[in-house]
Amino acid sequence: MAIQRMDHVSVVVEDLEAAKAFFLELGMELEGEAPIEGREVDRVNGLDGIRAVIAMMRTPDGHGRLELTKFHSPQAVSPEPESALGNTLGLRSVMFAVDDIDATVAGLRAQGAELVGEVVQYQDSHRLCYVRGPAGIIVALAEQLS
């Protein structure tokens, strides 16, 4: 038995509107938004009394999806350290291919994102960087060179 596909990646955020704005600026599209609660939600998450709102974002090609989740209850828990570096165990980044890395970084900076290191050229194939976005998530950007 094998998996069929990767469906989506989920990110818990404190400010859902800011997170949506960040990923819209990146070029993702809002697929839908909905409140989530109920016994089944509690059971699958192993938590009691969940009240949350999710916003499902998708890439323009329709293949990649990102679920942004804002918990109203129980309250979200902050990771330690809050601004974890790239060598911290666990999910550290989500990578997106972009057409123009400089324009993308400029647009994301206008949304409050910070460059983690520098924009660098890797050999003759790509320009790469990491940007810290909402909820401390690290978004990797790659521009393929011709």
Side-chain angles (χ1 to χ4, degrees):
M1 180 124 183
I3 62 171
Q4 296 175 356
R5 70 179 184 283
M6 188 176 103
D7 190 76
H8 69 273
V9 173
S10 180
V11 178
V12 176
V13 298
E14 184 65 33
D15 186 340
L16 185 59
E17 294 306 313
K20 288 189 308 187
F22 177 87
F23 288 104
L24 287 168
E25 178 64 36
L26 186 58
M28 295 189 85
E29 301 163 359
L30 179 63
E31 187 174 86
E33 190 170 328
I36 303 295
E37 59 185 283
R39 181 166 156 66
E40 295 85 2
V41 175
D42 289 355
R43 288 176 54 209
V44 76
N45 283 281
L47 295 168
D48 291 324
I50 291 179
R51 283 188 322 96
V53 176
I54 64 166
M56 191 63 75
M57 310 294 292
R58 75 170 169 257
T59 56
D61 67 4
H63 295 290
R65 293 171 56 204
L66 186 67
E67 176 187 293
L68 303 173
T69 304
K70 162 66 175 157
F71 277 88
H72 294 286
S73 76
Q75 184 175 3
V77 178
S78 294
E80 295 294 331
E82 192 167 322
S83 293
L85 297 175
N87 63 342
T88 303
L89 296 174
L91 179 63
R92 291 288 23 104
S93 67
V94 176
M95 180 171 269
F96 295 96
V98 298
D99 294 328
D100 181 339
I101 201 166
D102 295 318
T104 302
V105 168
L108 294 176
R109 279 186 156 169
Q111 295 292 327
E114 300 173 359
L115 213 51
V116 172
E118 302 173 34
V119 177
V120 299
Q121 183 167 324
Y122 179 74
Q123 299 178 356
D124 292 329
S125 65
H126 288 84
R127 292 185 69 219
L128 305 165
C129 72
Y130 291 105
V131 177
R132 188 176 304 280
I137 187 173
I138 297 174
V139 174
L141 304 174
E143 175 187 347
Q144 186 171 358
L145 301 174
S146 44

